[in-house]
């Protein structure tokens, strides 16, 4: 107490704003960095993909086939996602079991009418990719969707038919295992 020492606390300086021009009318967020206002704005995510190096021409041909198959069935998976979400919303608003069955039947008929010829022309490989993409988009396996909408017996029957041709309706999508499919989807432009 005998000695007095002059202590300086933090000094307040008013922020320095950048000089505005004639056409500077866009309002953006800013950060105060030691009295200097730094404008910033959020940019869209940018993905950078390196050119892929192939071990052999056969590996490149297999990837090109996979790319063709994924791009062919991706619109069906996106339609299934939209239609299934709409069906779930409709089922929540329908209080009676009879109305719910009518909505499920209407959805089933709509899908059959719209894609009957096209889905029948898919190869087995494209069907396998489609079930994985439906799981990716909807978050549930094809078997679970059929079981919920059509019942357990129908799901079991469809699973038996699928197993005969070497397919599984319970197959799930895993980003790590299916990384080629994931990279094809990301670079294809389906999600902008």
């Amino acid at each position: 107490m005998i000695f007095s020492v002059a202590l300086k606390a933090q000094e307040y300086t008013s922020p320095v704003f950048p000089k505005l021009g004639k056409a500077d009318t866009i309002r953006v967020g800013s950060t105060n960095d030691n009295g200097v206002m730094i404008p910033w704005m959020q940019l869209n995510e940018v993905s950078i993909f390196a050119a892929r190096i192939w071990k052999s021409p056969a590996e490149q041909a297999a990837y090109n086939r996979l790319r063709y198959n994924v791009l062919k069935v991706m619109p069906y998976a996106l339609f299934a996602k939209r239609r299934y979400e709409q069906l779930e919303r409709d089922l929540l608003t329908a209080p009676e079991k009879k109305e719910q069955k009518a909505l499920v039947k209407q959805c089933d008929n709509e899908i059959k009418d719209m894609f009957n010829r096209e889905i029948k022309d898919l190869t087995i490989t494209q069907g396998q990719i489609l079930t994985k993409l439906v799981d990716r988009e909807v978050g549930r396996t094809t078997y679970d969707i059929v079981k919920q909408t059509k019942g357990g017996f129908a799901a079991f029957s469809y699973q038996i038919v699928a197993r005969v041709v070497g397919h599984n309706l319970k197959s799930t999508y895993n980003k790590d295992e299916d990384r080629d499919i994931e990279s094809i989807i990301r670079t294809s432009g389906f999600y902008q």
Side-chain angles (χ1 to χ4, degrees):
M1 295 222 173
I2 298 174
F3 299 105
S4 66
V5 178
L7 299 176
K8 290 188 176 182
Q10 294 175 349
E11 294 181 17
Y12 176 76
T13 58
S14 63
V16 178
F17 292 98
K19 295 196 187 233
L20 296 178
K22 225 167 41 173
D24 291 337
T25 59
I26 299 173
R27 292 187 180 271
V28 296
S30 60
T31 302
N32 187 349
D33 183 29
N34 294 328
V36 177
M37 295 303 287
I38 301 172
W40 57 269
M41 65 177 52
Q42 183 173 354
L43 301 175
N44 293 333
E45 179 181 341
V46 176
S47 300
I48 300 173
F49 298 98
R52 191 161 181 171
I53 299 172
W54 307 103
K55 293 179 184 174
S56 67
E59 183 180 309
Q60 184 176 6
Y63 180 82
N64 289 340
R65 265 192 316 276
L66 179 66
R67 180 173 174 75
Y68 171 78
N69 290 334
V70 168
L71 294 178
K72 184 169 183 175
V73 299
M74 190 63 187
Y76 300 127
L78 292 174
F79 175 78
K81 175 186 178 184
R82 286 191 306 272
R83 189 61 183 107
Y84 186 70
E85 288 172 350
Q86 180 184 353
L87 177 64
E88 283 187 330
R89 285 191 304 269
D90 293 344
L91 288 176
L92 289 175
T93 60
E96 295 181 19
K97 193 88 164 160
K98 190 175 184 179
E99 289 179 44
Q100 291 177 351
K101 284 187 177 185
L103 288 171
V104 169
K105 189 167 187 166
Q106 177 189 359
C107 177
D108 190 38
N109 289 337
E110 180 182 332
I111 291 173
K112 281 181 182 177
D113 291 342
M114 186 172 284
F115 296 123
N116 200 13
R117 291 180 305 276
E118 297 170 12
I119 288 181
K120 281 186 178 179
D121 291 339
L122 294 179
T123 64
I124 293 173
T125 305
Q126 290 169 348
Q128 291 171 341
I129 293 170
L130 179 61
T131 58
K132 285 189 175 196
L133 291 179
V134 166
D135 179 51
R136 179 187 188 272
E137 295 300 319
V138 178
R140 300 178 65 195
T141 64
T142 310
Y143 181 84
D144 291 338
I145 293 170
V146 172
K147 186 175 181 181
Q148 180 192 6
T149 56
K150 298 275 234 168
F153 182 74
F156 177 73
S157 303
Y158 290 165
Q159 177 70 356
I160 288 175
V161 172
R163 294 303 259 171
V164 167
V165 295
H167 189 52
N168 186 3
L169 296 180
K170 295 179 182 179
S171 62
T172 59
Y173 183 82
N174 185 345
K175 282 186 178 183
D176 297 329
E177 293 174 8
D178 303 317
R179 67 178 184 269
D180 285 341
I181 294 175
E182 186 68 24
S183 72
I184 291 168
I185 291 170
R186 295 233 180 253
T187 59
S188 65
F190 281 108
Y191 299 101
Q192 294 292 341

